Amino acid sequence: MKKLLLASAMMAASLTAGSAFAECGSIKMAEFNWASGELMANVDKIILEEGYGCEIELVVGGTSAIFTSMNEKGEPQIAGEQWVNALRDVLDPALEEGRIHAVNKGPITGLGEGWWIPPYTAEAHPDLKTALDIIEHPELFPDSEDPSKGAFVGCPAGWGCQAVNANLFKAFDMEAKGWKLIDPGSAAGLDGSIAKANERGENWFGYYWSPTAIIGKYNLQAVPFGVEFVGNEHWTNCIAKDDCTDPQKSAWIKSEVYTLVTDDFYKGNADINAYLAARVFPGEVMGAMLVYMADEQAAGEDAAIEFLTKYQDVWTKWVSPEAAEKIKSSL
Protein backbone atom coordinates (compact mmCIF):
# COMPACT_ATOMS: atom_id res chain seq x y z
CA MET A 1 0.00 0.00 0.00
CA LYS A 2 2.82 2.42 0.86
CA LYS A 3 4.34 1.88 -2.57
CA LEU A 4 0.99 2.62 -4.25
CA LEU A 5 0.51 5.79 -2.22
CA LEU A 6 4.05 6.93 -3.01
CA ALA A 7 3.64 6.19 -6.70
CA SER A 8 0.41 8.19 -6.80
CA ALA A 9 2.01 11.09 -4.97
CA MET A 10 5.05 11.04 -7.25
CA MET A 11 2.83 11.04 -10.34
CA ALA A 12 0.83 14.00 -8.99
CA ALA A 13 3.98 15.90 -8.18
CA SER A 14 5.42 15.23 -11.62
CA LEU A 15 2.40 16.83 -13.25
CA THR A 16 2.97 20.07 -11.38
CA ALA A 17 6.74 20.29 -11.42
CA GLY A 18 7.60 20.31 -15.07
CA SER A 19 9.92 23.31 -14.89
CA ALA A 20 11.78 21.79 -11.95
CA PHE A 21 12.30 18.52 -13.87
CA ALA A 22 13.73 20.53 -16.72
CA GLU A 23 16.24 22.16 -14.36
CA CYS A 24 17.39 18.99 -12.65
CA GLY A 25 17.06 16.39 -15.40
CA SER A 26 17.78 12.69 -15.20
CA ILE A 27 20.38 11.34 -12.78
CA LYS A 28 21.78 7.84 -12.32
CA MET A 29 22.46 7.08 -8.68
CA ALA A 30 24.18 4.07 -7.10
CA GLU A 31 22.10 1.77 -4.92
CA PHE A 32 24.71 -0.23 -3.04
CA ASN A 33 23.75 -3.83 -2.45
CA TRP A 34 23.61 -3.79 1.34
CA ALA A 35 20.87 -2.60 3.68
CA SER A 36 22.15 0.87 4.59
CA GLY A 37 23.11 1.43 0.94
CA GLU A 38 19.56 0.56 -0.18
CA LEU A 39 18.06 2.88 2.43
CA MET A 40 20.29 5.85 1.63
CA ALA A 41 19.78 5.54 -2.11
CA ASN A 42 16.01 5.43 -1.78
CA VAL A 43 15.92 8.33 0.69
CA ASP A 44 18.00 10.38 -1.77
CA LYS A 45 15.75 9.30 -4.64
CA ILE A 46 12.54 10.46 -2.93
CA ILE A 47 14.06 13.70 -1.67
CA LEU A 48 15.60 14.62 -5.04
CA GLU A 49 12.52 13.68 -7.03
CA GLU A 50 9.93 15.24 -4.71
CA GLY A 51 11.95 18.16 -3.37
CA TYR A 52 14.15 19.05 -6.32
CA GLY A 53 12.24 17.77 -9.34
CA CYS A 54 14.87 15.27 -10.51
CA GLU A 55 14.33 11.96 -12.27
CA ILE A 56 16.42 9.32 -10.51
CA GLU A 57 17.45 5.95 -11.94
CA LEU A 58 18.97 3.63 -9.34
CA VAL A 59 21.94 1.49 -10.41
CA VAL A 60 22.47 -1.53 -8.15
CA GLY A 61 26.05 -2.63 -7.49
CA GLY A 62 28.93 -3.17 -5.10
CA THR A 63 31.81 -0.96 -4.01
CA SER A 64 34.36 -1.69 -6.75
CA ALA A 65 31.92 -2.02 -9.66
CA ILE A 66 30.16 1.25 -8.90
CA PHE A 67 33.40 3.18 -8.48
CA THR A 68 34.95 1.74 -11.64
CA SER A 69 31.89 2.76 -13.65
CA MET A 70 31.88 6.27 -12.18
CA ASN A 71 35.59 6.72 -12.75
CA GLU A 72 35.74 5.33 -16.29
CA LYS A 73 32.27 6.00 -17.74
CA GLY A 74 30.94 8.90 -15.63
CA GLU A 75 27.94 6.85 -14.50
CA PRO A 76 26.27 6.65 -12.08
CA GLN A 77 26.73 10.30 -11.20
CA ILE A 78 26.15 9.88 -7.44
CA ALA A 79 27.38 7.20 -5.00
CA GLY A 80 25.91 7.89 -1.57
CA GLU A 81 27.71 5.36 0.67
CA GLN A 82 31.06 4.56 -0.91
CA TRP A 83 33.40 2.74 1.51
CA VAL A 84 36.77 4.03 0.38
CA ASN A 85 39.50 2.19 2.33
CA ALA A 86 39.71 -0.56 -0.27
CA LEU A 87 39.75 1.94 -3.16
CA ARG A 88 42.54 4.28 -2.09
CA ASP A 89 44.87 3.34 -4.93
CA VAL A 90 42.29 4.36 -7.56
CA LEU A 91 40.20 6.86 -5.63
CA ASP A 92 42.98 9.22 -4.56
CA PRO A 93 44.22 9.82 -8.16
CA ALA A 94 40.62 10.34 -9.32
CA LEU A 95 40.08 12.95 -6.59
CA GLU A 96 43.40 14.67 -7.31
CA GLU A 97 42.73 14.80 -11.04
CA GLY A 98 39.16 16.08 -10.57
CA ARG A 99 37.29 13.19 -12.22
CA ILE A 100 35.50 12.44 -8.95
CA HIS A 101 34.53 14.75 -6.08
CA ALA A 102 33.79 13.87 -2.45
CA VAL A 103 30.86 16.10 -1.48
CA ASN A 104 30.40 14.45 1.92
CA LYS A 105 33.15 12.65 3.89
CA GLY A 106 30.85 11.45 6.66
CA PRO A 107 27.29 10.65 5.55
CA ILE A 108 26.76 8.32 8.55
CA THR A 109 28.09 8.97 12.05
CA GLY A 110 29.56 6.28 14.29
CA LEU A 111 30.41 3.79 11.55
CA GLY A 112 33.37 1.47 11.47
CA GLU A 113 34.88 -1.88 12.44
CA GLY A 114 36.34 -2.82 15.76
CA TRP A 115 35.73 -4.52 19.08
CA TRP A 116 32.43 -4.24 20.92
CA ILE A 117 30.72 -5.08 24.21
CA PRO A 118 27.03 -5.03 25.24
CA PRO A 119 25.75 -1.86 26.92
CA TYR A 120 24.95 -3.71 30.16
CA THR A 121 28.59 -4.83 30.41
CA ALA A 122 29.77 -1.24 30.01
CA GLU A 123 27.27 -0.09 32.64
CA ALA A 124 28.16 -2.83 35.14
CA HIS A 125 31.92 -2.32 34.70
CA PRO A 126 32.58 1.39 34.17
CA ASP A 127 36.28 0.77 34.82
CA LEU A 128 36.53 -1.17 31.54
CA LYS A 129 37.01 1.89 29.36
CA THR A 130 39.34 0.42 26.73
CA ALA A 131 40.37 -2.89 25.21
CA LEU A 132 43.51 -2.72 27.37
CA ASP A 133 41.26 -2.65 30.46
CA ILE A 134 39.09 -5.54 29.24
CA ILE A 135 42.06 -7.73 28.34
CA GLU A 136 43.10 -7.70 32.01
CA HIS A 137 39.78 -9.35 32.98
CA PRO A 138 39.20 -12.55 30.99
CA GLU A 139 37.26 -13.93 33.97
CA LEU A 140 34.36 -11.58 33.11
CA PHE A 141 33.95 -13.16 29.64
CA PRO A 142 34.22 -16.94 30.31
CA ASP A 143 34.34 -19.30 27.35
CA SER A 144 31.38 -21.71 27.46
CA GLU A 145 33.61 -24.74 26.74
CA ASP A 146 36.50 -23.72 28.99
CA PRO A 147 35.34 -21.24 31.65
CA SER A 148 38.91 -20.86 32.89
CA LYS A 149 39.57 -18.83 29.73
CA GLY A 150 38.06 -15.57 28.47
CA ALA A 151 36.33 -15.77 25.07
CA PHE A 152 37.20 -13.21 22.42
CA VAL A 153 34.98 -13.74 19.36
CA GLY A 154 36.82 -12.93 16.14
CA CYS A 155 35.90 -13.20 12.45
CA PRO A 156 34.78 -16.37 10.67
CA ALA A 157 37.53 -18.13 8.70
CA GLY A 158 37.91 -16.67 5.22
CA TRP A 159 36.82 -13.15 6.06
CA GLY A 160 39.28 -10.32 5.49
CA CYS A 161 39.05 -9.34 9.13
CA GLN A 162 40.16 -12.77 10.34
CA ALA A 163 43.86 -11.96 9.95
CA VAL A 164 43.42 -8.56 11.60
CA ASN A 165 41.73 -10.00 14.66
CA ALA A 166 44.21 -12.86 14.94
CA ASN A 167 47.16 -10.47 14.69
CA LEU A 168 45.72 -7.99 17.20
CA PHE A 169 44.96 -10.93 19.54
CA LYS A 170 48.66 -11.79 19.28
CA ALA A 171 49.86 -8.19 19.54
CA PHE A 172 47.90 -7.60 22.74
CA ASP A 173 49.32 -10.87 24.17
CA MET A 174 45.80 -12.08 24.91
CA GLU A 175 46.54 -15.82 25.02
CA ALA A 176 49.09 -15.32 27.79
CA LYS A 177 46.57 -13.17 29.65
CA GLY A 178 44.01 -16.00 29.68
CA TRP A 179 41.99 -15.55 26.48
CA LYS A 180 40.86 -17.85 23.68
CA LEU A 181 40.30 -16.55 20.14
CA ILE A 182 36.93 -17.96 19.08
CA ASP A 183 36.14 -18.57 15.39
CA PRO A 184 32.33 -18.19 15.17
CA GLY A 185 32.34 -20.27 11.98
CA SER A 186 30.05 -18.07 9.92
CA ALA A 187 28.19 -14.77 9.85
CA ALA A 188 25.22 -16.55 11.40
CA GLY A 189 27.49 -17.94 14.10
CA LEU A 190 28.88 -14.51 14.88
CA ASP A 191 25.41 -12.98 15.04
CA GLY A 192 24.15 -15.92 17.07
CA SER A 193 26.87 -15.52 19.70
CA ILE A 194 25.92 -11.86 20.13
CA ALA A 195 22.18 -12.60 20.28
CA LYS A 196 22.64 -15.46 22.75
CA ALA A 197 24.79 -13.38 25.11
CA ASN A 198 22.45 -10.40 25.00
CA GLU A 199 19.31 -12.45 25.54
CA ARG A 200 20.95 -14.08 28.59
CA GLY A 201 22.51 -10.88 29.87
CA GLU A 202 25.98 -12.42 29.60
CA ASN A 203 29.13 -10.45 28.91
CA TRP A 204 30.41 -10.63 25.31
CA PHE A 205 33.62 -9.28 23.75
CA GLY A 206 34.43 -9.49 20.09
CA TYR A 207 34.54 -8.14 16.57
CA TYR A 208 31.73 -6.51 14.58
CA TRP A 209 31.06 -3.50 12.40
CA SER A 210 28.56 -0.64 12.08
CA PRO A 211 26.10 0.31 10.70
CA THR A 212 24.39 -3.08 10.94
CA ALA A 213 21.08 -4.32 12.25
CA ILE A 214 22.63 -6.33 15.06
CA ILE A 215 24.62 -3.36 16.38
CA GLY A 216 21.41 -1.32 16.32
CA LYS A 217 19.26 -4.09 17.81
CA TYR A 218 21.50 -4.68 20.82
CA ASN A 219 23.03 -1.20 21.04
CA LEU A 220 26.52 -2.68 21.23
CA GLN A 221 29.19 -0.25 22.40
CA ALA A 222 32.42 0.24 20.46
CA VAL A 223 35.46 -0.16 22.69
CA PRO A 224 38.37 2.27 22.29
CA PHE A 225 41.58 0.27 22.01
CA GLY A 226 43.56 2.42 24.42
CA VAL A 227 46.46 2.68 21.96
CA GLU A 228 47.07 4.77 18.85
CA PHE A 229 46.61 3.51 15.30
CA VAL A 230 49.91 1.99 14.25
CA GLY A 231 49.93 3.54 10.77
CA ASN A 232 48.88 2.47 7.28
CA GLU A 233 52.16 0.78 6.37
CA HIS A 234 52.26 -1.66 9.29
CA TRP A 235 48.49 -2.20 9.17
CA THR A 236 48.43 -2.98 5.45
CA ASN A 237 51.65 -4.95 5.22
CA CYS A 238 51.50 -6.87 8.50
CA ILE A 239 48.33 -6.68 10.62
CA ALA A 240 46.06 -7.28 7.63
CA LYS A 241 48.22 -10.20 6.41
CA ASP A 242 48.01 -13.88 7.39
CA ASP A 243 51.81 -14.17 7.57
CA CYS A 244 52.45 -11.20 9.88
CA THR A 245 55.18 -12.35 12.28
CA ASP A 246 55.50 -9.32 14.56
CA PRO A 247 52.17 -7.45 14.80
CA GLN A 248 52.16 -4.30 16.89
CA LYS A 249 49.40 -3.09 19.18
CA SER A 250 47.05 -0.79 17.32
CA ALA A 251 43.62 0.76 17.21
CA TRP A 252 41.52 -0.38 14.24
CA ILE A 253 42.15 1.50 11.04
CA LYS A 254 39.61 4.29 10.56
CA SER A 255 36.77 3.26 8.28
CA GLU A 256 35.83 6.02 5.88
CA VAL A 257 32.71 6.44 3.81
CA TYR A 258 32.23 9.22 1.27
CA THR A 259 29.42 10.46 -0.89
CA LEU A 260 31.00 10.78 -4.34
CA VAL A 261 29.83 12.56 -7.48
CA THR A 262 31.29 12.74 -10.98
CA ASP A 263 32.95 15.90 -12.25
CA ASP A 264 30.21 16.80 -14.76
CA PHE A 265 27.56 16.40 -12.09
CA TYR A 266 29.58 18.37 -9.54
CA LYS A 267 29.92 21.38 -11.84
CA GLY A 268 26.24 21.64 -12.73
CA ASN A 269 24.27 20.84 -9.59
CA ALA A 270 25.18 23.18 -6.74
CA ASP A 271 21.83 22.78 -4.95
CA ILE A 272 21.99 18.99 -4.99
CA ASN A 273 25.64 18.99 -3.93
CA ALA A 274 24.63 21.17 -0.99
CA TYR A 275 21.89 18.69 -0.06
CA LEU A 276 24.30 15.74 -0.28
CA ALA A 277 26.84 17.60 1.85
CA ALA A 278 24.25 18.29 4.55
CA ARG A 279 22.76 14.78 4.45
CA VAL A 280 24.22 13.00 7.54
CA PHE A 281 22.43 10.03 9.10
CA PRO A 282 22.98 9.86 12.88
CA GLY A 283 24.40 6.43 13.69
CA GLU A 284 21.66 5.59 16.18
CA VAL A 285 18.97 6.46 13.63
CA MET A 286 20.64 4.38 10.94
CA GLY A 287 20.93 1.50 13.42
CA ALA A 288 17.23 1.71 14.26
CA MET A 289 16.33 1.75 10.57
CA LEU A 290 18.45 -1.33 9.88
CA VAL A 291 16.67 -3.13 12.72
CA TYR A 292 13.36 -2.08 11.14
CA MET A 293 14.46 -3.41 7.73
CA ALA A 294 15.54 -6.73 9.24
CA ASP A 295 12.45 -7.20 11.42
CA GLU A 296 9.95 -6.13 8.75
CA GLN A 297 11.85 -7.59 5.78
CA ALA A 298 11.55 -4.10 4.30
CA ALA A 299 13.17 -3.22 0.98
CA GLY A 300 14.93 0.10 0.43
CA GLU A 301 11.91 2.00 -0.91
CA ASP A 302 9.57 1.06 1.94
CA ALA A 303 12.33 1.70 4.48
CA ALA A 304 12.93 5.14 2.98
CA ILE A 305 9.26 6.02 3.38
CA GLU A 306 9.39 4.83 6.99
CA PHE A 307 12.48 6.95 7.62
CA LEU A 308 11.04 10.07 5.98
CA THR A 309 7.81 9.68 7.91
CA LYS A 310 9.32 8.89 11.30
CA TYR A 311 12.44 11.06 11.33
CA GLN A 312 11.29 14.37 9.90
CA ASP A 313 13.28 16.18 12.59
CA VAL A 314 16.44 14.67 11.03
CA TRP A 315 16.01 15.04 7.27
CA THR A 316 14.19 18.39 7.16
CA LYS A 317 17.46 19.97 8.31
CA TRP A 318 19.10 18.73 5.10
CA VAL A 319 16.80 20.57 2.68
CA SER A 320 15.23 23.98 2.19
CA PRO A 321 11.85 24.66 3.86
CA GLU A 322 10.25 24.72 0.41
CA ALA A 323 11.69 21.33 -0.53
CA ALA A 324 10.72 19.91 2.87
CA GLU A 325 7.08 20.83 2.35
CA LYS A 326 7.04 19.21 -1.10
CA ILE A 327 8.54 16.02 0.28
CA LYS A 328 6.19 15.90 3.27
CA SER A 329 3.17 16.32 1.02
CA SER A 330 4.27 13.33 -1.07
CA LEU A 331 4.42 10.91 1.86
Side-chain angles (χ1 to χ4, degrees):
M1 179 58 75
K2 286 181 177 178
K3 289 184 177 180
L4 291 174
L5 292 173
L6 177 65
S8 299
M10 293 170 68
M11 182 177 296
S14 70
L15 294 175
T16 58
S19 60
F21 271 104
E23 288 183 17
C24 184
S26 299
I27 300 169
K28 290 186 178 181
M29 178 185 296
E31 180 181 6
F32 287 107
N33 51 9
W34 53 83
S36 58
E38 293 177 17
L39 172 63
M40 288 183 66
N42 280 277
V43 167
D44 286 341
K45 182 176 191 291
I46 294 172
I47 285 179
L48 294 181
E49 289 186 337
E50 301 303 325
Y52 294 82
C54 308
E55 290 180 290
I56 303 297
E57 177 185 347
L58 295 180
V59 179
V60 178
T63 301
S64 297
I66 290 292
F67 181 78
T68 298
S69 182
M70 290 182 74
N71 194 31
E72 297 180 359
K73 301 178 181 178
E75 294 181 349
Q77 288 98 337
I78 302 173
E81 189 192 340
Q82 183 71 264
W83 289 68
V84 300
N85 280 5
L87 300 170
R88 284 296 185 190
D89 58 335
V90 286
L91 173 63
D92 288 347
L95 293 174
E96 292 172 2
E97 295 165 12
R99 296 192 303 278
I100 301 291
H101 299 266
V103 294
N104 189 328
K105 292 188 175 181
I108 308 172
T109 65
L111 56 77
E113 299 173 87
W115 292 357
W116 305 73
I117 58 176
Y120 52 80
T121 299
E123 183 175 352
H125 302 283
D127 53 319
L128 303 183
K129 300 183 183 304
T130 69
L132 290 175
D133 300 328
I134 293 173
I135 289 168
E136 297 301 321
H137 294 281
E139 76 281 1
L140 297 177
F141 303 83
D143 175 45
S144 59
E145 297 183 358
D146 182 2
S148 69
K149 302 288 186 181
F152 173 79
V153 185
C155 280
W159 286 23
C161 51
Q162 183 189 29
V164 174
N165 279 295
N167 284 321
L168 290 180
F169 186 88
K170 181 179 179 180
F172 283 100
D173 202 20
M174 292 177 68
E175 183 174 0
K177 292 179 181 292
W179 291 85
K180 287 177 63 178
L181 175 57
I182 306 297
D183 180 347
S186 65
L190 179 58
D191 289 1
S193 74
I194 294 172
K196 180 179 177 181
N198 277 263
E199 289 164 5
R200 294 180 176 182
E202 297 173 345
N203 293 331
W204 184 93
F205 183 39
Y207 165 86
Y208 217 84
W209 70 98
S210 177
T212 46
I214 204 158
I215 291 289
K217 181 175 183 178
Y218 294 112
N219 191 29
L220 295 186
Q221 308 294 301
V223 178
F225 280 78
V227 298
E228 297 294 325
F229 175 57
V230 72
N232 286 322
E233 182 176 353
H234 182 73
W235 182 275
T236 302
N237 297 321
C238 187
I239 290 177
K241 302 287 189 183
D242 290 328
D243 57 355
C244 178
T245 58
D246 186 25
Q248 304 300 303
K249 294 176 183 177
S250 176
W252 204 280
I253 190 172
K254 181 182 179 182
S255 298
E256 293 190 274
V257 171
Y258 294 172
T259 295
L260 302 177
V261 300
T262 59
D263 187 48
D264 286 346
F265 182 88
Y266 180 77
K267 292 175 178 175
N269 294 278
D271 289 347
I272 299 175
N273 290 331
Y275 156 71
L276 294 172
R279 187 258 285 114
V280 177
F281 287 77
E284 63 273 20
V285 172
M286 178 59 82
M289 285 305 308
L290 296 179
V291 173
Y292 169 83
M293 293 176 75
D295 289 347
E296 302 296 328
Q297 294 294 297
E301 183 180 2
D302 286 335
I305 296 170
E306 174 73 9
F307 168 78
L308 292 168
T309 302
K310 188 173 183 179
Y311 294 103
Q312 294 190 4
D313 60 321
V314 174
W315 66 262
T316 53
K317 298 174 183 175
W318 306 341
V319 301
S320 68
E322 180 185 11
E325 289 306 312
K326 291 179 181 177
I327 296 160
K328 287 180 183 178
S329 67
S330 74
L331 299 175

